[in-house]
């Protein structure tokens, strides 16, 4: 296949939501439409539920399921659709943030009764940062929820994005009759249908047509007309450019569990959503149409079988064509690697692939070469930017309980950090290791894996930090004075970046006041790696 043809065909996106809004259900219905699965219930729910501490195997099993469904690919309307799965559990939010760097657009699912929830807000912040185009699906219209206009206002206000409804509900809950498709001028009548795909659309070319009264009843028909008039008055006409720029989110209403409103969503998605986009590197912008292959690793998953210590690195192809058994440049390690068994993930099947194109995600078997954020190229020395690290929310110190196993512990924790399970901050003197996560669940996973996979013996002791802030500055004098004054609160992250571990907001504010030339960032991109790389290039260490 020609590269350009392959690029135009691909749509790579993620579905995001607050837990329980209906992400898994919607994913499943999209796969049903795409013919990737035949019956409802075939997609395992990969939600990692917080379980009793004894139930580690359950967590492991669920992680296994999430590998199998990491990327779900299917063809629909001549498009090759790649859905990248994102964990719903909030303790794994960082995983989701990283996956969002590998998608070109997202579908955000909102529960019509709950509106904007905590996770919705956080996930959308990341999308806004990256200007990712967003389509919103308001779900569970078969249940009573908030007034649709109220919901739209809430979305605009709390997510800081303009919205534009493309379908409109007729009633909700018990009185839910269906949706009117503003975009295509058709009426889709609701019937609860959990297993089959229905797409009976009554075409209504004129909303004032009397047949509408007969179909939905006089009062609901009048209400619909009034509401549509209001929509046209209040919201700008839908502009694909504004959507692609991340400024406006088209909104759909439906009920995922009933297969309702999903087809409208998918059809419009295929029509308006972006084909694979380029990405910025430290050197230049790389476009998907560039001849030379390049891509980056956004996720690493350990093998579930402890006897096989290999891992799978998930690589998003950004430009050119990836080919099996071809040597590529691992930029950070300055090493040539080739991959005899690159895999794709098609719904629940894994299969070896010979080639992959921009927008595709390839699974690479790895014996420890990859870290999250690594770049692979045909030879060019450049690194993709923008895999962010956020300040963790919970900090605990890792204590070694068996001095004879300190090597195993060191190796184990380093590898888990490379996988992105948690962040590590090392304090001197004493090589003290502070592990930071966004949720308690990770400590349980880490502890379990250190014992079972590496034979280490350790425990975690809570530390009372409020935030980890990466320090950058041009004022070396001020930096040195800060280092002298605050040495007890300083640490290095996994890439040797200097980090201030602030115990309270007040202490952070004081530091900012007393050292005005220092910048304290609670979010960091992999830029230091890039800086290091530049230094190497200056010294001609790398070719
Ligand atoms: P996730 O956590 O976002 O992946 O949510 P799920 O897809 O697992 O859905 C959470 C719950 O909501 C499940 O019990 C679903 O059956 C239910 N659900 C999903 N879509 C709908 C819907 O359209 N209507 C109703 N009434 N329930 C729904």
């Amino acid at each position: 296949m020609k590269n350009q043809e392959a690029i135009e065909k691909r749509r790579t996106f993620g579905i995001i939501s607050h837990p329980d809004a209906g992400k898994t259900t919607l994913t499943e219905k999209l796969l049903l439409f795409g013919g990737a699965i035949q019956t409802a219930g075939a997609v395992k729910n990969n939600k990692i539920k917080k379980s009793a501490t004894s139930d580690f195997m359950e967590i492991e099993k669920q992680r296994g399921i999430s590998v199998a469904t990491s990327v779900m690919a299917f063809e629909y309307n001549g498009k090759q659709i790649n859905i990248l799965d994102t964990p719903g559990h909030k303790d794994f939010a960082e995983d989701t943030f990283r996956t969002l760097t590998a998608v070109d657009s997202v579908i955000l699912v909102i529960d019509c009764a709950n509106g904007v929830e905590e996770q919705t807000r956080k996930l959308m912040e990341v999308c806004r940062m990256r200007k990712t185009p967003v389509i919103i699906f308001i779900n569970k219209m078969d249940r009573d929820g908030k007034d649709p206009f109220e919901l739209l206002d809430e979305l605009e206000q709390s997510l800081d994005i303009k919205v534009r409804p493309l379908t409109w509900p007729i009633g909700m809950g018990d009185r839910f009759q269906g949706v009117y498709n503003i975009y295509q001028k058709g009426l889709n009548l609701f019937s609860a249908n959990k297993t089959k795909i229905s797409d009976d659309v009554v075409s209504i070319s004129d909303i004032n047509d009397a047949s509408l009264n007969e179909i939905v009843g006089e009062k609901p028909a009048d209400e619909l007309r009034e509401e549509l008039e209001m929509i046209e008055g209040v919201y700008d006409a839908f502009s694909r450019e504004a959507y692609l720029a991340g400024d406006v989110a088209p909104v759909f209403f439906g009920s995922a569990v009933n297969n309702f409103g999903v087809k409208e969503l998918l059809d419009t998605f295929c029509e308006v959503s972006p084909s694979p986009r380029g990405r910025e590197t430290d050197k230049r912008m790389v476009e998907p149409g560039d001849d030379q292959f390049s891509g980056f690793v956004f996720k690493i998953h350990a093998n579930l079988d402890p006897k096989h210590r290999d891992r799978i690195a998930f690589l998003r192809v950004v430009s050119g064509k990836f080919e099996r058994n071809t040597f590529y440049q691992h930029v950070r390690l300055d090493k040539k690697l080739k991959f005899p068994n690159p895999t794709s993930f098609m719904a629940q099947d894994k299969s070896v692939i010979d080639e992959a194109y921009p927008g595709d995600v390839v699974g690479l078997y790895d014996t420890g070469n990859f870290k999250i954020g690594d770049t692979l190229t045909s030879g060019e020395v450049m690194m993709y930017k923008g895999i962010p690290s956020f300040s963790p929310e919970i900090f605990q110190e890792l204590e070694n309980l068996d001095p004879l196993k300190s090597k195993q512990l060191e190796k184990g924790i380093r590898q888990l950090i490379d996988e992105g399970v948690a962040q590590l901050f090392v304090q001197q003197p004493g090589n003290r290791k502070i592990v930071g996560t966004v949720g308690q669940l990770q400590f349980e996973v880490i502890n379990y894996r250190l014992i079972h996979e590496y034979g280490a013996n350790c425990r975690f002791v809570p530390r009372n930090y409020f935030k980890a802030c990466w320090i950058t500055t041009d004022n070396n004098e001020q930096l040195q004075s800060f280092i002298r004054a605050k040495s007890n609160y300083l640490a290095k992250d996994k890439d040797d970046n200097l980090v201030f571990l602030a115990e309270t907001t007040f202490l952070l504010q004081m530091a900012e006041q007393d050292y005005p030339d220092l910048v304290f960032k609670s979010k960091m991109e992999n830029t230091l790696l890039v800086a290091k790389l530049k230094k190497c290039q200056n010294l001609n260490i790398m070719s």
Side-chain angles (χ1 to χ4, degrees):
M1 198 189 306
K2 289 249 172 55
N3 266 22
Q4 202 51 37
E5 206 179 297
I7 294 166
E8 272 158 28
K9 215 178 145 187
R10 279 165 171 71
R11 296 290 181 273
T12 302
F13 74 105
I15 304 182
I16 55 176
S17 77
H18 189 87
D20 280 343
K23 181 175 77 76
T24 312
T25 314
L26 180 65
T27 307
E28 178 177 284
K29 303 303 166 180
L30 292 176
L31 294 180
L32 267 177
F33 274 103
I37 53 171
Q38 265 63 49
T39 50
V43 175
K44 303 264 185 338
N45 192 328
N46 66 8
K47 275 188 287 183
I48 298 184
K49 299 213 171 73
K50 179 142 180 65
S51 38
T53 32
S54 61
D55 208 3
F56 293 112
M57 276 332 284
E58 192 48 34
I59 296 175
E60 291 294 290
K61 223 165 65 202
Q62 291 177 22
R63 285 176 58 240
I65 293 167
S66 80
V67 160
T69 57
S70 282
V71 185
M72 289 157 281
F74 63 89
E75 291 229 0
Y76 182 81
N77 273 0
K79 297 283 188 295
Q80 152 104 29
I81 300 195
N82 298 322
I83 307 182
L84 269 53
D85 190 35
T86 55
H89 196 291
K90 86 169 184 20
D91 287 8
F92 290 81
E94 273 224 43
D95 229 22
T96 302
F97 297 153
R98 286 190 291 255
T99 300
L100 289 180
T101 64
V103 304
D104 299 302
S105 70
V106 304
I107 293 181
L108 167 66
V109 186
I110 300 275
D111 179 325
C112 72
N114 297 341
V116 174
E117 296 173 84
E118 188 199 344
Q119 273 305 94
T120 328
R121 217 169 272 128
K122 283 197 187 148
L123 292 164
M124 273 298 288
E125 249 172 57
V126 180
C127 294
R128 305 280 298 131
M129 240 162 58
R130 307 181 55 81
K131 292 254 161 215
T132 309
V134 179
I135 293 181
I136 299 174
F137 183 73
I138 298 185
N139 191 27
K140 306 196 184 178
M141 291 304 292
D142 58 317
R143 289 225 186 126
D144 280 324
K146 297 184 181 178
D147 172 74
F149 281 111
E150 229 175 78
L151 273 169
L152 295 184
D153 283 350
E154 188 179 327
L155 289 168
E156 286 201 330
Q157 274 159 22
S158 33
L159 302 181
D160 191 24
I161 189 165
K162 281 186 164 175
V163 299
R164 202 328 164 172
L166 292 188
T167 65
W168 194 251
I170 306 168
M172 64 164 52
D174 290 343
R175 290 163 295 104
F176 183 54
Q177 299 205 52
V179 292
Y180 179 73
N181 191 329
I182 304 174
Y183 197 56
Q184 287 164 342
K185 299 200 186 326
L187 193 63
N188 193 357
L189 295 172
F190 176 68
S191 62
N193 180 352
K194 294 205 163 86
T195 49
K196 256 186 31 236
I197 303 166
S198 95
D199 55 355
D200 304 332
V201 176
V202 184
S203 158
I204 302 250
S205 52
D206 183 357
I207 191 75
N208 291 315
D209 203 296
S211 64
L212 182 67
N213 295 24
E214 281 159 35
I215 300 169
V216 301
E218 200 161 322
K219 197 162 166 259
D222 282 343
E223 267 172 21
L224 176 65
R225 289 184 188 109
E226 235 171 70
E227 287 171 349
L228 290 177
E229 208 176 292
M230 225 155 106
I231 290 166
E232 296 314 318
V234 172
Y235 297 99
D236 293 338
F238 173 64
S239 142
R240 184 174 182 226
E241 285 66 42
Y243 155 69
L244 291 178
D247 293 331
V248 172
V251 178
F252 292 80
F253 291 83
S255 168
V257 81
N258 291 299
N259 273 318
F260 191 77
V262 179
K263 187 171 184 300
E264 284 81 357
L265 175 74
L266 185 56
D267 286 345
T268 314
F269 173 82
C270 285
E271 215 180 301
V272 302
S273 68
S275 52
R277 299 176 137 190
R279 296 283 190 282
E280 192 74 48
T281 68
D282 60 322
K283 283 261 194 78
R284 64 188 177 90
M285 179 76 188
V286 177
E287 296 297 341
D290 290 0
D291 286 344
Q292 299 294 315
F293 157 76
S294 69
F296 64 92
V297 172
F298 63 94
K299 175 172 170 159
I300 292 177
H301 211 294
N303 197 319
L304 295 175
D305 181 351
K307 285 198 252 14
H308 298 276
R309 211 43 91 56
D310 57 351
R311 312 187 282 184
I312 300 175
F314 292 78
L315 176 108
R316 147 101 195 203
V317 180
V318 180
S319 66
K321 181 159 79 167
F322 172 91
E323 286 173 291
R324 182 179 167 192
N325 270 329
T326 304
F327 276 104
Y328 291 120
Q329 179 77 11
H330 185 310
V331 179
R332 182 177 53 85
L333 298 182
D334 188 20
K335 197 166 161 180
K336 294 240 184 288
L337 297 175
K338 71 173 177 175
F339 305 92
N341 296 308
T343 51
S344 71
F345 305 83
M346 303 282 284
Q348 280 123 335
D349 300 325
K350 268 197 308 196
S351 54
V352 173
I353 49 146
D354 290 319
E355 52 191 37
Y357 295 91
D360 286 342
V361 172
V362 185
L364 305 173
Y365 286 97
D366 172 40
T367 47
N369 283 315
F370 286 113
K371 280 189 191 186
I372 283 175
D374 276 345
T375 300
L376 211 57
T377 71
S378 295
E380 192 173 347
V381 178
M382 62 179 181
M383 280 196 134
Y384 280 101
K385 287 182 177 176
I387 300 250
S389 298
F390 294 86
S391 170
E393 285 166 28
I394 305 177
F395 297 86
Q396 298 195 3
E397 185 169 345
L398 179 64
E399 274 189 10
N400 187 4
L401 294 178
D402 183 350
L404 294 176
K405 297 279 175 65
S406 52
K407 256 195 185 151
Q408 283 89 331
L409 183 65
E410 183 79 26
K411 184 174 171 206
I413 191 72
R414 293 275 167 193
Q415 289 201 350
L416 295 183
I417 297 302
D418 286 352
E419 278 176 37
V421 179
Q423 293 184 55
L424 181 65
F425 305 100
V426 179
Q427 283 193 312
Q428 302 298 353
N431 205 21
R432 289 166 54 208
K433 293 184 176 55
I434 313 288
V435 175
T437 69
V438 288
Q440 191 61 38
L441 189 54
Q442 269 99 337
F443 289 105
E444 293 165 21
V445 173
I446 296 169
N447 209 338
Y448 177 86
R449 290 187 57 191
L450 284 173
I451 294 167
H452 288 82
E453 291 174 31
Y454 298 92
N457 190 2
C458 60
R459 69 169 178 187
F460 283 104
V461 184
R463 285 283 173 258
N464 213 4
Y465 299 118
F466 149 75
K467 225 172 209 140
C469 294
W470 285 269
I471 304 172
T472 54
T473 184
D474 289 331
N475 185 339
N476 194 37
E477 211 174 301
Q478 218 169 76
L479 179 66
Q480 292 311 324
S481 132
F482 183 74
I483 291 175
R484 278 192 300 276
K486 300 281 179 195
S487 61
N488 285 348
Y489 299 97
L490 294 177
K492 294 275 183 77
D493 77 359
K494 66 176 185 342
D495 300 319
D496 270 349
N497 294 305
L498 189 63
V499 175
F500 175 45
L501 300 169
E503 281 181 325
T504 61
T505 329
F506 176 71
L507 288 174
L508 179 58
Q509 281 166 353
M510 287 300 288
E512 282 170 332
Q513 222 173 61
D514 296 345
Y515 301 87
D517 284 353
L518 303 191
V519 183
F520 297 91
K521 291 183 174 168
S522 60
K523 176 186 148 274
M524 179 78 176
E525 289 185 355
N526 58 347
T527 37
L528 192 107
L529 276 177
V530 173
K532 270 190 194 157
L533 189 76
K534 280 201 182 118
K535 222 159 79 194
C536 293
Q537 280 165 333
N538 291 341
L539 297 172
N540 280 333
I541 292 171
M542 289 190 159
S543 52

